[in-house]
Amino acid sequence: MNLFEAFQLQWKQKFSYLHPHNCTLLVAVSGGVDSMVLLHCLHKIQFHIAVAHVNFQLRGEESIRDAVFVQQTCEKYNIPFYLKTVNTQAFADEEKISIQVAARRLRYEWFEQLLQQPYFKTTPNAFIVTAHHANDNIETLLHHLFRGTGIAGLQGIPSKNNQIIRPLLFAYKQDIIAYAEQNKLQWVDDSSNKKHDYTRNFIRLQILPQLQQHFPNIDAILTENIERFQEANLLYQQALQNHFKKLIQQNEFGYQIPIELLKKTQPFTTVLWEIAKQFGCQSAQLISIEKLLDAKNGSVVETSTHRFVKNRKWLLIQLRSNPINDFVTIQKWCNQIQYAAGKLLLNKVPVPEKFEANNHTIYIDEAALQFPLIIRKLKTGDYFYPFGMKHKKKISRFLIDLKLSLPQKENVWVLEMNKKIIWVIGYRADNRFKVNANAKQCIKIDYLK
Amino acid sequence: MNLFEAFQLQWKQKFSYLHPHNCTLLVAVSGGVDSMVLLHCLHKIQFHIAVAHVNFQLRGEESIRDAVFVQQTCEKYNIPFYLKTVNTQAFADEEKISIQVAARRLRYEWFEQLLQQPYFKTTPNAFIVTAHHANDNIETLLHHLFRGTGIAGLQGIPSKNNQIIRPLLFAYKQDIIAYAEQNKLQWVDDSSNKKHDYTRNFIRLQILPQLQQHFPNIDAILTENIERFQEANLLYQQALQNHFKKLIQQNEFGYQIPIELLKKTQPFTTVLWEIAKQFGCQSAQLISIEKLLDAKNGSVVETSTHRFVKNRKWLLIQLRSNPINDFVTIQKWCNQIQYAAGKLLLNKVPVPEKFEANNHTIYIDEAALQFPLIIRKLKTGDYFYPFGMKHKKKISRFLIDLKLSLPQKENVWVLEMNKKIIWVIGYRADNRFKVNANAKQCIKIDYLK
C-alpha cells in the first residue's frame, strides 16, 4: 500500500463524515516536505481547499523564499492562498514566551480567524488541517515523558482537536519523503518555527537517532505504544467516571463529597487530582486540597474557578461565580459576541441545501430574528424543544441524558429570544426555530470556545 | 531526612508487617555500593539476616576479590554468608540465552533454594532482599518503553514480588553513595552481571546522562511518572474488571462471551487482549483470536492452555486440560512434591510459638499425618472448614468471596488426606487440622508456584 492509499484508508477510518461536498479545508503549509505531501494528497481527493502560510520572519531571505514558493505552488494548483507576515521575535519578547510558543499562538490564532472568511462558509463544515506525522507523534510522547506526565500525556498528538484535523499522523517521515520523490514534488527545507524549538530538536536530532541505532524498530514500537496508551487512557477514564459517580453528589449550592469515602478511594492521589482538576485546581495546589480533608471545620481552599470548603464530614465545592458576567444582552445586529464561556459569530448566509448535524452551529430564518438576544446561564426550570423532537423537555433532564461532567453542566449557557430558548449553546438547537422551506435568507450562528 | 531515616519510613509504609521478630531476610549482596548500603541499613534495624553472593565468574580475579570482600564483611558483622560459584557463560550458551538473563536465573533460582535452609525456618516469614534503587527503576521504565509496552510496563520494578522485597527503591544512586561515604562503608565496583547488560548500559551510560543535561530534574520527574503510572494502572485494572464482569459468563464447560457485545466494547483491542492473555494467548496470537470472531461456526484457536471456539453468537473458552496431570498421589514421606501448578515442600519442624497468617504455608501436627496424601484439582461439591471458622463451606462459594480471576479459579488445587480437604493450596488451611497445644512436632508444608 503506498502512502496515498494509506492516506485514503485513514481518512475513511477517522474522518469519514468529511467529504469534498460538505467540507472546506484550510491547509497549513510551511513549504516543507510534510505539508507539500499533505497538500498533494488533499488536492488529489478533490477537497475544497485553501492554503495558509505564515512568514515568521525568523530566517530573513529564506523566510521570504518559502512564502513565495508556497504561493507559486498554490497558483499552479489554482488554490486560494493566504499569507500572514508576523514579527515572531517581538511577539515572544512582549508576551514573555518562547519563540516556539509564540509561533504556535500566532499560527493557530490566525488560522481560526481565517475560518471566518466567506470562502469557508460555503460548506457546512470547515477545518484546519496540519501535516503532523508519526515521527512528530513519537517526539511528543518522549517530550511529555521527560517533562513529566500522567497517562494523558502518553497519547501523543490528537488526530482531531476542535477545529484542527491531522490526517497524516499515520505516516513516517521517510515514507513522506519517498512519496514526495516518487511524485516529483518540490519542497523547501524545514519550517522555520521547528528550528527554534531547542527541546524538540534535542529529542529529534540527538536522542532518537541513538535510540534508532540500538532499537532498530523504535519508531514502530513507540507508535504502537501510543495506540496502546490511548486505549489504556480510555479505560482510565471509564474507571474515573465510576469513582466520580460514587463520590460526587450534587447539592443546591454545587457539589459535595463524603470525606471518609474519598479517603478510602484507591488510587487516592489520582482520583483526588482528577476531581480537583475539573474544578480549577492546578497541580501545585493539590497538596492544599489534600490537607483540607483533615483541616478544621470551615477551612477553605480557592482555585481560579471554585471554592473548596471543609464542612464536617463533607468536602463542599462551589462555583466562584460573578453574576455580572453571567448575562449578556445583544440589542442590535453584530457579527461577533464575546461572553464568559466563548464567543458567538453571526453571519447572514443563503439557505443551505442540506443542514449537517453540528451542535456548534445553528441556522435560523432571518425573518424570525428579533432583538434583543440574551446569552445567559441556565436557570432552574428552563425548558426547550430539542431539535428533531415534538415535545418540550426540561434542560436539566436533557443534560442528564448527555452525561456531561459536573463542571460542564455548571457551564451550560443558553441563547434566548423573545423569552424562548432557541439554543442550548454547543449542545442542541430548539426545534421551534428550525429553518423551513419558505425562508429566503438564514442567520448562521457559530459557537467558538 | 537522611537515607537511613527515609529507609525506616519506607519500611513502615510498605513492609510494616515484617519485623525483626517474625522475619528472616536473605540479602543479595554483590559487594557494590547499593547492596553494601542495604546491608548496613538492615543490620542497623537489627533484622535477622543472612547474605548470599554469587560469583558469576565473568571477570576472573576481580570476581574472586568481590566474593572474598563480601565474605569478610559478613564475618565482621557476624552474619551467615552463602557463596555460590557458577559458570554463567556455559549456562548461557547451553540455554541459548543472554549473559544477563542467565545471571538473573542463576541468581534467583539459587536464592529460592537457599530460603529452604533451616536458618530461614526459624521465623514464620523469610524474604529475599535486593538493592534495586530509584535509578534502576528509571532505567527499567525507559527500557520497557523502548522495547514496547502497555501501561503495565510503565510501573517500573515492583517493591514486592512473591518472595522478593526491594526496600531501597526510593533512593537515588547519589544519595546511596553519599550515605556510604558518610558511614565510611567499603565497597567494590559494580556487580558483574550489570556489566554484561548491553541495553541497560546503553540507557544508563549513554541516554540518561544526555537527558539529565537537558532536563536537570529528569530523575525526579521519571520517578514521579512511575508513581502516577502505578495509580493509572490501578484505574485501568478497575475498568477491566468491569468489562470482564459484563462480558465473561461461566458455563458448564468453561466460559462464554457474547460476540456482539465484545465487538462493541470500547476499547476493543485492549479488552480483547486482556481477556485472551488470561487464557494463555501470546501477543502474536491475538490477531487469530480477533479473526475468530468473524470466522465460520465451529472455528477454533488454541493457546498453550485454552481452546477458543466460535459457536454461533458465542465465543467459548475451554481449558485444554490433561486429566492425567490433575491428580498426584503421595504414598510415603518425601521432602518435595512437584505437580502441574507448583511444588510442595514438606519439613518436620518444632511447634512454632506463634503461627503467622500465611496462605502459602500450613502446619499440621505430625501425629495427625496419614498417607496417602492427594494433590488434586477442585471437584464440584468440595467443601472444607476454612481456618478460623467453625462451619463448613463449599469451596466454590469460598472462591467467589475471594474474587479470584476466572483462570485463577480454574487453577485451584487442594490437598486431601483421608478423604478430607486439609488445604485449599495457596488460599486457606482447614480449621480441623490446626495444630493444638499437645502437638510435639509439626509438619510444615510450603507451597511454591
Side-chain angles (χ1 to χ4, degrees):
Chain A
M1 185 155 54
N2 71 27
L3 186 117
F4 180 67
E5 287 162 357
F7 181 84
Q8 287 180 298
L9 188 66
Q10 275 285 306
W11 197 279
K12 224 165 139 182
Q13 286 171 354
K14 299 215 164 137
F15 311 107
S16 58
Y17 54 100
L18 299 180
H19 310 282
H21 67 269
N22 73 359
C23 181
T24 308
L25 300 175
L26 175 64
V27 191
V29 177
S30 68
V33 66
D34 312 332
S35 54
M36 295 312 285
V37 164
L38 173 65
L39 187 61
H40 192 258
C41 289
L42 288 170
H43 186 67
K44 213 160 153 181
I45 54 177
Q46 301 192 307
F47 257 97
H48 199 196
I49 50 183
V51 160
H53 176 89
V54 184
N55 177 349
F56 291 102
Q57 297 198 89
L58 292 167
R59 291 173 301 134
E61 283 301 312
E62 232 178 81
S63 293
I64 298 169
R65 176 207 69 182
D66 292 358
V68 170
F69 165 74
V70 176
Q71 180 165 25
Q72 286 170 348
T73 309
C74 288
E75 279 166 13
K76 209 173 69 186
Y77 281 171
N78 198 19
I79 294 173
F81 172 73
Y82 298 95
L83 171 66
K84 179 155 183 149
T85 301
V86 292
N87 190 336
T88 314
Q89 187 67 60
F91 182 70
D93 293 348
E94 201 179 302
E95 299 276 318
K96 298 199 176 64
I97 52 182
S98 69
I99 286 280
Q100 69 269 24
V101 171
R104 196 178 310 134
R105 271 185 49 188
L106 288 167
R107 215 163 107 93
Y108 283 113
E109 280 174 15
W110 180 54
F111 293 163
E112 287 187 11
Q113 283 168 23
L114 275 182
L115 280 195
Q116 303 312 320
Q117 295 275 334
Y119 185 79
F120 300 97
K121 304 289 181 182
T122 53
T123 52
N125 297 298
F127 283 94
I128 299 155
V129 194
T130 71
H132 290 94
H133 51 69
N135 301 74
D136 292 325
N137 217 355
I138 290 167
E139 289 163 25
T140 300
L141 167 70
L142 293 181
H143 187 193
H144 287 170
L145 186 77
F146 298 154
R147 204 183 53 186
T149 184
I151 187 169
L154 299 178
Q155 297 178 86
I157 304 170
S159 62
K160 179 174 184 312
N161 190 10
N162 294 325
Q163 296 196 277
I164 305 165
I165 61 176
R166 301 185 176 93
L168 219 52
L169 273 179
F170 73 94
Y172 292 102
K173 185 80 177 187
Q174 65 201 58
D175 300 324
I176 291 173
I177 293 173
Y179 178 88
E181 284 169 350
Q182 278 157 23
N183 289 276
K184 301 197 172 53
L185 302 186
Q186 287 187 294
W187 68 88
V188 290
D189 267 341
D190 224 340
S191 73
S192 53
N193 54 332
K194 272 193 179 173
K195 298 226 159 138
H196 288 265
D197 196 333
Y198 178 53
T199 299
R200 280 303 188 110
N201 285 339
F202 165 71
I203 293 172
R204 179 167 59 244
L205 305 175
Q206 187 172 335
I207 294 298
L208 275 165
Q210 295 175 63
L211 292 179
Q212 279 149 358
Q213 275 211 320
H214 198 92
F215 302 94
N217 290 324
I218 188 101
D219 289 354
I221 286 169
L222 292 179
T223 303
E224 277 171 32
N225 283 349
I226 289 171
E227 284 168 21
R228 259 181 250 124
F229 298 151
Q230 285 169 346
E231 295 215 341
N233 184 55
L234 207 56
L235 288 162
Y236 174 94
Q237 295 296 342
Q238 291 169 356
L240 272 185
Q241 290 306 322
N242 264 337
H243 285 291
F244 293 169
K245 218 183 283 175
K246 279 181 206 152
L247 289 170
I248 309 177
Q249 306 166 6
Q250 209 157 358
N251 65 22
E252 57 185 318
F253 305 108
Y255 304 98
Q256 58 185 29
I257 297 174
I259 290 175
E260 280 313 307
L261 198 61
L262 176 59
K263 279 187 176 175
K264 273 186 217 143
T265 300
Q266 287 290 343
F268 172 73
T269 309
T270 300
V271 171
L272 182 66
W273 162 242
E274 293 283 357
I275 291 174
K277 190 174 70 172
Q278 293 184 75
F279 297 107
C281 180
Q282 303 289 313
S283 58
Q285 219 177 2
L286 186 63
I287 185 77
S288 349
I289 306 254
E290 191 177 337
K291 281 185 184 158
L292 188 62
L293 304 182
D294 293 316
K296 70 170 200 280
N297 208 22
S299 302
V300 172
V301 173
E302 291 198 331
T303 70
S304 58
T305 58
H306 284 73
R307 161 195 297 264
F308 287 68
V309 184
K310 156 96 182 229
N311 186 4
R312 293 158 202 246
K313 293 180 171 177
W314 300 93
L315 180 66
L316 307 183
I317 307 175
Q318 295 153 0
L319 190 62
R320 289 175 63 185
S321 170
N322 181 349
I324 297 170
N325 292 333
D326 289 358
F327 200 94
V328 180
T329 310
I330 306 115
Q331 298 290 357
K332 59 185 176 78
W333 174 263
C334 58
N335 278 101
Q336 186 166 322
I337 306 146
Q338 184 85 43
Y339 67 107
K343 56 182 157 185
L344 297 189
L345 307 169
L346 278 65
N347 285 287
K348 296 182 184 175
V349 296
V351 181
E353 280 188 27
K354 201 177 158 194
F355 295 94
E356 299 288 327
N358 178 349
N359 294 322
H360 283 67
T361 303
I362 63 163
Y363 293 86
I364 57 172
D365 188 339
E366 191 188 14
L369 184 68
Q370 273 185 287
F371 288 98
L373 294 172
I374 291 166
I375 305 174
R376 64 164 173 83
K377 283 224 159 174
L378 201 63
K379 285 191 302 209
T380 316
D382 274 345
Y383 66 88
F384 78 137
Y385 289 72
F387 196 84
M389 291 172 74
K390 284 185 183 158
H391 301 291
K392 74 176 178 185
K393 187 160 191 172
K394 272 207 171 177
I395 297 179
S396 57
R397 190 71 239 164
F398 169 75
L399 296 176
I400 287 170
D401 294 347
L402 281 188
K403 296 185 178 161
L404 295 195
S405 78
L406 304 172
Q408 281 175 321
K409 275 191 208 162
E410 275 183 349
N411 207 24
V412 168
W413 293 67
V414 296
L415 182 61
E416 185 185 304
M417 182 171 77
N418 201 11
K419 297 197 176 141
K420 291 183 183 121
I421 287 172
I422 68 174
W423 189 15
V424 181
I425 300 174
Y427 295 105
R428 192 75 77 87
D430 189 289
N431 202 52
R432 292 167 293 181
F433 296 87
K434 71 179 173 196
V435 179
N436 64 35
N438 311 323
K440 300 213 171 71
Q441 171 107 334
C442 278
I443 308 294
K444 176 168 181 269
I445 312 182
D446 289 298
Y447 164 60
L448 293 183
K449 268 190 194 165
Chain B
M1 186 155 55
N2 72 27
L3 187 117
F4 180 67
E5 287 163 357
F7 180 84
Q8 286 180 299
L9 188 67
Q10 275 284 307
W11 196 280
K12 223 165 140 182
Q13 287 171 353
K14 300 213 165 137
F15 310 108
S16 57
Y17 54 99
L18 299 179
H19 309 281
H21 67 267
N22 73 359
C23 180
T24 307
L25 300 175
L26 176 64
V27 191
V29 177
S30 67
V33 65
D34 313 331
S35 55
M36 294 312 285
V37 164
L38 173 65
L39 187 60
H40 192 258
C41 289
L42 289 170
H43 186 66
K44 214 160 151 180
I45 54 176
Q46 303 192 308
F47 257 98
H48 199 195
I49 51 183
V51 160
H53 176 89
V54 184
N55 177 350
F56 292 102
Q57 297 198 88
L58 292 168
R59 291 172 302 136
E61 284 300 313
E62 231 178 81
S63 294
I64 298 169
R65 176 207 68 181
D66 291 358
V68 169
F69 165 73
V70 176
Q71 181 165 25
Q72 286 170 347
T73 308
C74 289
E75 279 166 14
K76 208 173 66 186
Y77 282 171
N78 198 19
I79 295 173
F81 172 74
Y82 298 96
L83 171 67
K84 179 155 185 150
T85 301
V86 292
N87 190 335
T88 314
Q89 186 67 60
F91 182 69
D93 293 346
E94 200 178 301
E95 299 277 317
K96 297 196 176 66
I97 52 181
S98 68
I99 288 279
Q100 70 270 23
V101 171
R104 195 178 313 135
R105 271 184 49 187
L106 288 166
R107 214 162 107 92
Y108 284 113
E109 280 173 14
W110 180 53
F111 293 163
E112 286 187 12
Q113 283 168 22
L114 274 183
L115 279 195
Q116 303 311 320
Q117 296 275 333
Y119 184 79
F120 301 97
K121 305 290 182 183
T122 52
T123 52
N125 297 297
F127 284 94
I128 299 155
V129 194
T130 70
H132 290 93
H133 51 71
N135 301 74
D136 292 326
N137 216 355
I138 289 168
E139 289 163 24
T140 300
L141 167 70
L142 294 180
H143 189 194
H144 287 169
L145 186 78
F146 298 153
R147 203 183 56 187
T149 185
I151 186 168
L154 299 179
Q155 297 178 85
I157 305 169
S159 61
K160 180 175 184 312
N161 191 8
N162 294 325
Q163 296 196 276
I164 305 164
I165 60 174
R166 301 185 176 92
L168 219 52
L169 273 180
F170 73 93
Y172 293 102
K173 185 80 177 188
Q174 65 202 57
D175 299 326
I176 291 173
I177 293 174
Y179 178 88
E181 285 169 350
Q182 278 157 22
N183 289 278
K184 301 198 170 55
L185 301 185
Q186 287 187 296
W187 68 88
V188 291
D189 267 341
D190 225 338
S191 72
S192 53
N193 53 332
K194 273 194 178 173
K195 299 227 160 138
H196 287 265
D197 196 333
Y198 179 52
T199 298
R200 280 305 186 110
N201 286 338
F202 165 71
I203 293 172
R204 180 166 58 244
L205 305 175
Q206 188 171 334
I207 294 298
L208 274 166
Q210 295 176 65
L211 292 179
Q212 278 148 358
Q213 276 211 316
H214 198 92
F215 302 94
N217 289 324
I218 188 101
D219 289 354
I221 286 170
L222 292 178
T223 303
E224 276 171 34
N225 283 348
I226 289 171
E227 283 168 21
R228 258 181 250 124
F229 298 152
Q230 285 170 345
E231 295 215 342
N233 184 55
L234 206 56
L235 288 163
Y236 174 95
Q237 296 296 343
Q238 290 169 355
L240 273 184
Q241 289 307 321
N242 264 337
H243 285 292
F244 293 169
K245 218 183 284 177
K246 278 181 206 152
L247 288 169
I248 309 177
Q249 306 166 6
Q250 208 157 0
N251 66 22
E252 58 184 317
F253 306 109
Y255 303 98
Q256 57 185 30
I257 296 174
I259 290 175
E260 281 313 306
L261 198 60
L262 176 59
K263 280 186 175 176
K264 275 187 217 142
T265 300
Q266 287 291 343
F268 172 72
T269 309
T270 300
V271 172
L272 181 67
W273 163 242
E274 293 283 356
I275 290 174
K277 192 174 68 171
Q278 293 184 75
F279 297 106
C281 179
Q282 303 289 313
S283 57
Q285 218 178 2
L286 186 63
I287 185 77
S288 349
I289 307 253
E290 191 176 337
K291 282 185 183 155
L292 188 62
L293 303 183
D294 293 315
K296 71 170 200 280
N297 208 20
S299 302
V300 172
V301 173
E302 290 198 332
T303 70
S304 57
T305 58
H306 285 74
R307 160 195 299 263
F308 288 68
V309 184
K310 155 96 180 229
N311 186 3
R312 293 156 204 249
K313 293 180 173 179
W314 300 93
L315 179 67
L316 307 182
I317 306 175
Q318 294 152 359
L319 191 62
R320 289 177 62 186
S321 170
N322 181 349
I324 296 169
N325 291 334
D326 289 355
F327 201 94
V328 180
T329 310
I330 306 114
Q331 298 290 358
K332 60 184 174 81
W333 175 263
C334 58
N335 278 101
Q336 186 166 325
I337 307 143
Q338 185 86 44
Y339 68 105
K343 58 181 155 185
L344 297 189
L345 307 170
L346 278 65
N347 284 288
K348 296 182 184 175
V349 296
V351 181
E353 278 187 30
K354 202 177 157 194
F355 296 95
E356 299 288 326
N358 177 350
N359 294 321
H360 283 67
T361 302
I362 62 163
Y363 294 85
I364 57 171
D365 188 339
E366 192 187 13
L369 184 69
Q370 274 186 287
F371 289 99
L373 293 173
I374 292 167
I375 304 174
R376 63 164 173 84
K377 282 226 164 175
L378 201 63
K379 285 191 302 209
T380 316
D382 273 344
Y383 67 88
F384 79 138
Y385 289 70
F387 195 84
M389 292 171 74
K390 283 185 184 160
H391 301 292
K392 75 175 177 183
K393 186 161 190 171
K394 272 207 171 175
I395 297 181
S396 57
R397 191 69 239 165
F398 169 76
L399 296 176
I400 287 170
D401 295 345
L402 280 189
K403 295 184 177 163
L404 294 195
S405 77
L406 304 171
Q408 280 175 319
K409 275 190 209 165
E410 275 182 347
N411 206 25
V412 169
W413 294 68
V414 296
L415 181 61
E416 186 185 303
M417 180 171 77
N418 201 13
K419 297 198 176 138
K420 290 182 186 122
I421 288 173
I422 68 173
W423 190 14
V424 181
I425 299 173
Y427 295 105
R428 192 76 77 89
D430 190 288
N431 202 52
R432 294 167 292 181
F433 296 88
K434 70 180 171 196
V435 179
N436 64 35
N438 311 323
K440 299 213 173 70
Q441 170 108 333
C442 278
I443 309 293
K444 176 166 180 269
I445 313 181
D446 290 298
Y447 164 60
L448 292 183
K449 266 189 196 169

